[in-house]
Structures are given as structure tokens and as C-alpha cells.
Amino acid sequence: MFRERFNEGKYKMTAKQFYEQIGQEYMEIYERMTGSEALIRRFLKQFCEDGTFSALEKAVEEGDIKQIFLEAHTLKGLSANLGLKPLSEKTGVLVELTRNNDREENILSQDYTRAEEKCAENSAGMNSEDYEKITGAFAEIRDAYQKIVKLIGEVHETDHTDTMLQ
């Protein structure tokens, strides 16, 4: 039954094929998800519904470095945990840009109050060169994100190992 539906074009790819498309080792993700393709599909679907990318996009539009850092860091973690390496690597660039804001001192010090003050200073004082670097990094993230979300949409919703038996 699965093969018939797959051949008819109702299912475009398996989760394994999805990971192969993005250059990631499927078995690594499969083992991380306790050997459950259903769990992989569930988390991929949740990833597409998550609002982190939209929040990052808004923060970039507003030039809010503190929020850009927080949203980029969250997106980097989400994508890394799901094995979405192309996205996590590109997001890591933005995390590092906003973590330091190209200045000597890291904005995330042990002293949380000082870190908040530093973030406020950086947000208010972002120059056009910083903004260009941030928007350039974000453009690469957006492209990777859109490609991944499109591919996730092509992953079938049933466990092919179960349906092949029918």
C-alpha cells in the first residue's frame, strides 16, 4: 500500500530521504529519536509550526540585537536537535554576530543586570555596518529555513515501515 501511494505521488519522500536531501545522516537522528520515525515526523511538523523563525524575522526588522540573539540561539538549538545542520550552522553565525555585536566584550556576562544594560546599549547603538552583517546572515538563514520547511512538507505522514506490510 505504501509503495503504491508513494508511486502515485501522494508521498514525496520518507524522513530518511528528507535527511539525505539536506546532507544529514539519518541514522544519527533516528537513534537520537529512540528509533522512532513517527517521533521524527512529529518533531519536524512541530518545527514548521514553531514561531521562533517569525520572532527572529521580526527582531531583525526592528534591529533589536538582544531579541535577535535570543531567537537565533533558540532556532539554532531547535534545528541542531532535529539534525537540520544547514540551518543550525547558518543560525550559529548570527548567534555569534549578536552575542558579541562585533565588540570585544561578550554581552552575556555572568552579571545578568550588566548583560541587560549592555544589550540595551548595543540595541540603541547598532550602526549600519552591524545591521548589514546581521541582515546578510539572516538572509542566508531565511533561505535555508524556507528550503527545509518546503522539504518537510513533502515528508509523508505515516510510518513507511508499518504501511509497507499492508
Side-chain angles (χ1 to χ4, degrees):
M1 182 178 241
F2 168 77
R3 288 178 199 258
E4 292 166 4
R5 289 183 182 170
F6 192 82
N7 290 336
E8 291 172 7
K10 293 183 180 173
Y11 302 136
K12 304 216 191 265
M13 71 176 80
T14 64
K16 181 178 181 183
Q17 290 168 325
F18 163 77
Y19 280 101
E20 289 169 353
Q21 283 276 325
I22 64 167
Q24 181 66 38
E25 178 61 42
Y26 173 74
M27 288 310 292
E28 183 181 313
I29 305 308
Y30 185 76
E31 290 168 5
R32 184 180 305 153
M33 300 291 171
T34 64
S36 171
E37 187 166 320
L39 190 59
I40 294 170
R41 286 191 315 275
R42 187 172 111 212
F43 284 138
L44 288 174
K45 182 179 179 186
Q46 286 176 348
F47 176 80
C48 292
E49 296 168 354
D50 183 80
T52 304
F53 177 79
S54 296
L56 174 59
E57 187 172 42
K58 180 180 177 196
V60 170
E61 288 170 4
E62 294 173 356
D64 184 343
I65 291 180
K66 179 180 178 183
Q67 200 61 35
I68 293 169
F69 172 78
L70 294 172
E71 300 301 341
H73 194 272
T74 301
L75 185 60
K76 178 185 171 199
L78 285 170
S79 56
N81 284 330
L82 289 172
L84 307 175
K85 191 174 181 177
L87 182 59
S88 66
E89 287 176 348
K90 290 181 185 327
T91 307
V93 171
L94 184 58
V95 168
E96 292 310 313
L97 276 173
T98 54
R99 178 189 313 270
N100 297 319
N101 196 25
D102 288 337
R103 289 171 174 76
E104 297 273 328
E105 191 177 347
N106 189 322
I107 62 172
L108 295 179
S109 68
Q110 294 295 331
D111 180 355
Y112 184 74
T113 305
R114 175 141 165 71
E116 280 189 330
E117 290 169 5
K118 190 120 178 92
C119 284
E121 290 170 17
N122 289 342
S123 243
M126 183 169 38
N127 63 41
S128 61
E129 187 178 318
D130 291 341
Y131 190 70
E132 283 181 32
K133 288 179 184 177
I134 288 168
T135 56
F138 178 73
E140 290 188 26
I141 292 167
R142 183 184 53 238
D143 292 345
Y145 178 83
Q146 289 172 342
K147 178 182 176 187
I148 285 171
V149 168
K150 181 180 178 192
L151 287 172
I152 289 172
E154 295 179 8
V155 174
H156 65 80
E157 295 184 10
T158 59
D159 188 335
H160 70 281
T161 56
D162 291 343
T163 54
M164 280 183 155
L165 301 174
Q166 296 177 357

